[in-house]
Amino acid sequence: MALRTAFRGRAALSGLLSCSSHGRLSPSFISQRKNSTSPKIKVDYDQTTGVAVMRMQSPPVNSLSLDFLTEVCISLEKLEMDKGCRGIIITSNQPKVFSAGLDILEMYGKSPEHCGEFWKAVQEMWLKLYGSNMVTIAAINGSSPAGGCLMSLTCDYRIMADNPRYSIGLNETQLGIVAPFWFKDTMVNTVGHRNTEMALELGLLYKPAEALKIGLVDQLVPEDQVLTAATQTITKWLAIPEHARQITKSMMRKQTIEKLRSNREADIQNFVNFITKESIQKSLRMYMEMLKQKKA
Amino acid sequence: MALRTAFRGRAALSGLLSCSSHGRLSPSFISQRKNSTSPKIKVDYDQTTGVAVMRMQSPPVNSLSLDFLTEVCISLEKLEMDKGCRGIIITSNQPKVFSAGLDILEMYGKSPEHCGEFWKAVQEMWLKLYGSNMVTIAAINGSSPAGGCLMSLTCDYRIMADNPRYSIGLNETQLGIVAPFWFKDTMVNTVGHRNTEMALELGLLYKPAEALKIGLVDQLVPEDQVLTAATQTITKWLAIPEHARQITKSMMRKQTIEKLRSNREADIQNFVNFITKESIQKSLRMYMEMLKQKKA
Amino acid sequence: MALRTAFRGRAALSGLLSCSSHGRLSPSFISQRKNSTSPKIKVDYDQTTGVAVMRMQSPPVNSLSLDFLTEVCISLEKLEMDKGCRGIIITSNQPKVFSAGLDILEMYGKSPEHCGEFWKAVQEMWLKLYGSNMVTIAAINGSSPAGGCLMSLTCDYRIMADNPRYSIGLNETQLGIVAPFWFKDTMVNTVGHRNTEMALELGLLYKPAEALKIGLVDQLVPEDQVLTAATQTITKWLAIPEHARQITKSMMRKQTIEKLRSNREADIQNFVNFITKESIQKSLRMYMEMLKQKKA
């Protein structure tokens, strides 16, 4: 319980990954998620514009737990199947954070089977988002490390709050773990090989102004205008002939997507072998202890 | 006839593709093209410098019709075979436009066979220009959308008139059609993956200053100095040891070229299947109607 | 002898490649190199920090001769095998030059066998440096053309003296020879496809400020602070969890490395066939004559 508490505060935001308490899926929970408003994701879908706003609201820091990832995927599937829905804005309902990334508690002290199931869900989210036919805009209204950054990178366009207390980046290396090849490929496609090499080797987190400079985000706006700007942007994107835009998006991304799709099992096995190593588990434990002390 | 007239004016410049009147090749026309000065391309070849200036002069907007493309290819072949010719400057003799791109009339209401023949000519022009052993400089003295932009991108260096009324870009998506993979590859090689993704999905046309910023063109000069600057530039390029420069150019481009060369038939089939779709034909018709109304 | 003298002076620095006098390996010379301080490379290894400083000191301009390359590789192997050594700073003990690049005398008037042996050593240096598990920092305290630039490009980070009299670049084309595909790949990974295309076709040498602008170097500092800055930088890099950093570095580079590794013999044959051509030998002779005249 102490550990859970530790991740409720600001401390987690300064970190690399995140964790949150969560239980296994219960039947009632699953049925709840069939509503457009599920516990961890609030979806506001406007049929007149064809735009859905997905608000992440999994306290404290929108950690990407297995449950959360499953909800994201179910929400995306529902929207993707709705012919009227043409665009998504992804944003956070939690203060100061977009998403703090993958939930450490899904990887620490868990069985290889659980770790594998978790990793499959991370892959699934990436495949659904990076391969989405819809226009996807990240309205980054808080810090966005690791998996949070990955979510942003899958979108067609990234608007970030111009607040120097926030940062964004794939900082896995700082924690002693490794961003997999498809995280890397997504970043290379966005900011090029050299920026990615340096960012991933050092586990860099970028302030908004730096992120804009290297192209990690596309636009900075005052914090209270992130959603407005995202709405204006998506309107422009939706004015583009849809079929041609979709084919073009697919052409730009299919090689990167295909690379994971044809290597999913090996990638899962690779992750499980790595994360269940004693030395890596020790790193995770030390990291969580450090967070606890920060909190205390 | 009304349609033809519609494309004679300024309206076409604001558009995405272009069209022009043209007839089928007649025997006398073919023989004319054996002269260095053919109807649609004027070639001024200076044997003392080894530089040929290719002036596009196909009214009103240098649309890339089948005839025009054939002439471009024949001119290039002749120059490539002349051992003394070491460099080409490509520019326009039409006011305000470099080239308005592929001629819509070659794709609208035409048989699959005709569309296939047309596409093969587009491929051929790209293969000849992107794979040319000669130094190639684009002297972009007007707007250069779609296929016009592609021509520029095949060159070794791009100098554009610094006139904010002109624009350049692969804007096919705006018309509801899709830039094929080799247009995309050429652009990625020039401005990188992320700029290309956004440019192609939105069908962006860039003002000269924006084009310079992302590297879509290499240099801006006042409008009346485009050709002078191109001549100065090509002199520098021709001072480089030729054999080494050619091998290096080939090394940089051969993978991209090989990708189309080994997929020409499939690419033609893909284009024909797409462009002859009822929905796409309808898009083209609506676009031409829009141009007519603008004109009227 | 006259030729040797010619390369002792400043003239060689303005050039593209370089040459230096050298003899074949003698047994006593080989045994010398087992010391951490060998004739052409001085290695200062600080066991408390885990950082080794490799100072190139092969007069006049640190030409990459066969002997010199062999020494570099032996030094690197020794450091790589020492578990305590975690980072290398590569710098020059010669004034005004980091390294003037491949030694022309190893390619001019030599047997195909010798040229092949030389090229294998160039490959070996690149494979060892680009694939090193250690943190590698180039402290570029002088001009760094051709092979000197390649050495810099293999490092994790490049700090250059902010002196406009120095320059850096892969300028092989200027001499009539061609940078091989793996030089090209290394540069593309650093500055992207378009910058590389133009740099290699024209054989460009960049002043420090230009090099910084395109990302060919990462940081400029006053000339007397290059080594200090490199030491500060490597301290930051060494603070990153090592195993994760190494796996990440390998992930970023393995495809490029594998491409040469699986084509070494063909690449050697290709180099030998090219460099032993009469026309290329003539280019090298003319270049050396030009250097002699400059000197006189």
mmCIF file of all heavy atoms in Angstrom, chain C residues 231-246:
data_model
loop_
_atom_site.group_PDB
_atom_site.id
_atom_site.type_symbol
_atom_site.label_atom_id
_atom_site.label_comp_id
_atom_site.label_asym_id
_atom_site.label_seq_id
_atom_site.Cartn_x
_atom_site.Cartn_y
_atom_site.Cartn_z
ATOM 1 N N THR C 231 35.796 15.470 -21.659
ATOM 2 C CA THR C 231 35.835 14.789 -20.359
ATOM 3 C C THR C 231 34.530 15.000 -19.600
ATOM 4 O O THR C 231 33.983 14.063 -19.007
ATOM 5 C CB THR C 231 37.033 15.317 -19.524
ATOM 6 O OG1 THR C 231 38.227 15.168 -20.309
ATOM 7 C CG2 THR C 231 37.172 14.547 -18.232
ATOM 8 N N GLN C 232 34.011 16.227 -19.663
ATOM 9 C CA GLN C 232 32.718 16.482 -19.003
ATOM 10 C C GLN C 232 31.606 15.665 -19.656
ATOM 11 O O GLN C 232 30.745 15.104 -18.989
ATOM 12 C CB GLN C 232 32.383 17.976 -19.087
ATOM 13 C CG GLN C 232 33.263 18.833 -18.176
ATOM 14 C CD GLN C 232 33.149 20.318 -18.481
ATOM 15 O OE1 GLN C 232 32.641 20.711 -19.530
ATOM 16 N NE2 GLN C 232 33.626 21.150 -17.556
ATOM 17 N N THR C 233 31.632 15.623 -20.973
ATOM 18 C CA THR C 233 30.574 14.905 -21.699
ATOM 19 C C THR C 233 30.604 13.412 -21.392
ATOM 20 O O THR C 233 29.571 12.785 -21.144
ATOM 21 C CB THR C 233 30.737 15.130 -23.212
ATOM 22 O OG1 THR C 233 30.601 16.520 -23.483
ATOM 23 C CG2 THR C 233 29.675 14.357 -23.990
ATOM 24 N N ILE C 234 31.799 12.840 -21.408
ATOM 25 C CA ILE C 234 31.878 11.386 -21.207
ATOM 26 C C ILE C 234 31.427 11.017 -19.797
ATOM 27 O O ILE C 234 30.856 9.941 -19.581
ATOM 28 C CB ILE C 234 33.288 10.843 -21.535
ATOM 29 C CG1 ILE C 234 33.189 9.385 -22.010
ATOM 30 C CG2 ILE C 234 34.246 10.996 -20.357
ATOM 31 C CD1 ILE C 234 34.445 8.864 -22.678
ATOM 32 N N THR C 235 31.620 11.909 -18.846
ATOM 33 C CA THR C 235 31.151 11.657 -17.486
ATOM 34 C C THR C 235 29.632 11.503 -17.465
ATOM 35 O O THR C 235 29.091 10.602 -16.812
ATOM 36 C CB THR C 235 31.577 12.815 -16.545
ATOM 37 O OG1 THR C 235 32.994 12.957 -16.641
ATOM 38 C CG2 THR C 235 31.178 12.537 -15.110
ATOM 39 N N LYS C 236 28.959 12.372 -18.230
ATOM 40 C CA LYS C 236 27.489 12.261 -18.310
ATOM 41 C C LYS C 236 27.066 10.946 -18.964
ATOM 42 O O LYS C 236 26.135 10.283 -18.510
ATOM 43 C CB LYS C 236 26.928 13.432 -19.119
ATOM 44 C CG LYS C 236 26.935 14.752 -18.372
ATOM 45 C CD LYS C 236 26.250 15.840 -19.200
ATOM 46 C CE LYS C 236 26.752 17.218 -18.801
ATOM 47 N NZ LYS C 236 26.514 18.232 -19.830
ATOM 48 N N TRP C 237 27.734 10.605 -20.048
ATOM 49 C CA TRP C 237 27.375 9.374 -20.750
ATOM 50 C C TRP C 237 27.600 8.141 -19.862
ATOM 51 O O TRP C 237 26.841 7.180 -19.911
ATOM 52 C CB TRP C 237 28.171 9.243 -22.057
ATOM 53 C CG TRP C 237 27.635 10.092 -23.174
ATOM 54 C CD1 TRP C 237 27.684 11.455 -23.270
ATOM 55 C CD2 TRP C 237 26.958 9.636 -24.359
ATOM 56 N NE1 TRP C 237 27.084 11.873 -24.439
ATOM 57 C CE2 TRP C 237 26.648 10.781 -25.124
ATOM 58 C CE3 TRP C 237 26.602 8.392 -24.856
ATOM 59 C CZ2 TRP C 237 25.978 10.711 -26.359
ATOM 60 C CZ3 TRP C 237 25.946 8.304 -26.086
ATOM 61 C CH2 TRP C 237 25.635 9.456 -26.818
ATOM 62 N N LEU C 238 28.681 8.186 -19.064
ATOM 63 C CA LEU C 238 29.004 7.022 -18.230
ATOM 64 C C LEU C 238 28.058 6.884 -17.045
ATOM 65 O O LEU C 238 28.033 5.858 -16.383
ATOM 66 C CB LEU C 238 30.463 7.094 -17.755
ATOM 67 C CG LEU C 238 31.500 6.919 -18.876
ATOM 68 C CD1 LEU C 238 32.913 7.086 -18.336
ATOM 69 C CD2 LEU C 238 31.345 5.555 -19.552
ATOM 70 N N ALA C 239 27.273 7.932 -16.777
ATOM 71 C CA ALA C 239 26.301 7.852 -15.678
ATOM 72 C C ALA C 239 25.037 7.094 -16.099
ATOM 73 O O ALA C 239 24.196 6.766 -15.270
ATOM 74 C CB ALA C 239 25.941 9.260 -15.209
ATOM 75 N N ILE C 240 24.900 6.831 -17.379
ATOM 76 C CA ILE C 240 23.719 6.114 -17.886
ATOM 77 C C ILE C 240 23.885 4.613 -17.598
ATOM 78 O O ILE C 240 24.977 4.082 -17.751
ATOM 79 C CB ILE C 240 23.603 6.302 -19.414
ATOM 80 C CG1 ILE C 240 23.620 7.786 -19.798
ATOM 81 C CG2 ILE C 240 22.366 5.600 -19.970
ATOM 82 C CD1 ILE C 240 22.469 8.573 -19.288
ATOM 83 N N PRO C 241 22.803 3.952 -17.183
ATOM 84 C CA PRO C 241 22.912 2.501 -16.962
ATOM 85 C C PRO C 241 23.560 1.829 -18.179
ATOM 86 O O PRO C 241 23.052 1.925 -19.299
ATOM 87 C CB PRO C 241 21.455 2.060 -16.775
ATOM 88 C CG PRO C 241 20.794 3.270 -16.176
ATOM 89 C CD PRO C 241 21.473 4.445 -16.819
ATOM 90 N N GLU C 242 24.666 1.136 -17.921
ATOM 91 C CA GLU C 242 25.550 0.738 -19.005
ATOM 92 C C GLU C 242 24.968 -0.321 -19.936
ATOM 93 O O GLU C 242 25.074 -0.219 -21.158
ATOM 94 C CB GLU C 242 26.864 0.224 -18.406
ATOM 95 C CG GLU C 242 27.914 -0.050 -19.455
ATOM 96 C CD GLU C 242 29.289 0.166 -18.875
ATOM 97 O OE1 GLU C 242 29.638 -0.555 -17.926
ATOM 98 O OE2 GLU C 242 29.992 1.075 -19.338
ATOM 99 N N HIS C 243 24.387 -1.328 -19.358
ATOM 100 C CA HIS C 243 23.895 -2.437 -20.164
ATOM 101 C C HIS C 243 22.806 -1.944 -21.132
ATOM 102 O O HIS C 243 22.814 -2.265 -22.316
ATOM 103 C CB HIS C 243 23.346 -3.511 -19.223
ATOM 104 C CG HIS C 243 23.033 -4.797 -19.896
ATOM 105 N ND1 HIS C 243 23.944 -5.478 -20.665
ATOM 106 C CD2 HIS C 243 21.887 -5.538 -19.924
ATOM 107 C CE1 HIS C 243 23.388 -6.584 -21.129
ATOM 108 N NE2 HIS C 243 22.141 -6.636 -20.706
ATOM 109 N N ALA C 244 21.898 -1.130 -20.619
ATOM 110 C CA ALA C 244 20.815 -0.605 -21.460
ATOM 111 C C ALA C 244 21.368 0.306 -22.560
ATOM 112 O O ALA C 244 20.908 0.266 -23.709
ATOM 113 C CB ALA C 244 19.796 0.150 -20.612
ATOM 114 N N ARG C 245 22.358 1.119 -22.206
ATOM 115 C CA ARG C 245 22.964 1.991 -23.202
ATOM 116 C C ARG C 245 23.641 1.178 -24.305
ATOM 117 O O ARG C 245 23.519 1.481 -25.491
ATOM 118 C CB ARG C 245 23.988 2.927 -22.542
ATOM 119 C CG ARG C 245 24.577 3.958 -23.510
ATOM 120 C CD ARG C 245 25.783 4.663 -22.945
ATOM 121 N NE ARG C 245 26.842 3.768 -22.530
ATOM 122 C CZ ARG C 245 27.604 3.050 -23.362
ATOM 123 N NH1 ARG C 245 27.433 3.123 -24.667
ATOM 124 N NH2 ARG C 245 28.530 2.231 -22.891
ATOM 125 N N GLN C 246 24.343 0.135 -23.921
ATOM 126 C CA GLN C 246 25.048 -0.682 -24.910
ATOM 127 C C GLN C 246 24.074 -1.400 -25.855
ATOM 128 O O GLN C 246 24.291 -1.438 -27.061
ATOM 129 C CB GLN C 246 25.932 -1.706 -24.202
ATOM 130 C CG GLN C 246 27.158 -1.093 -23.525
ATOM 131 C CD GLN C 246 27.912 -2.085 -22.670
ATOM 132 O OE1 GLN C 246 27.400 -3.150 -22.331
ATOM 133 N NE2 GLN C 246 29.144 -1.734 -22.308
#
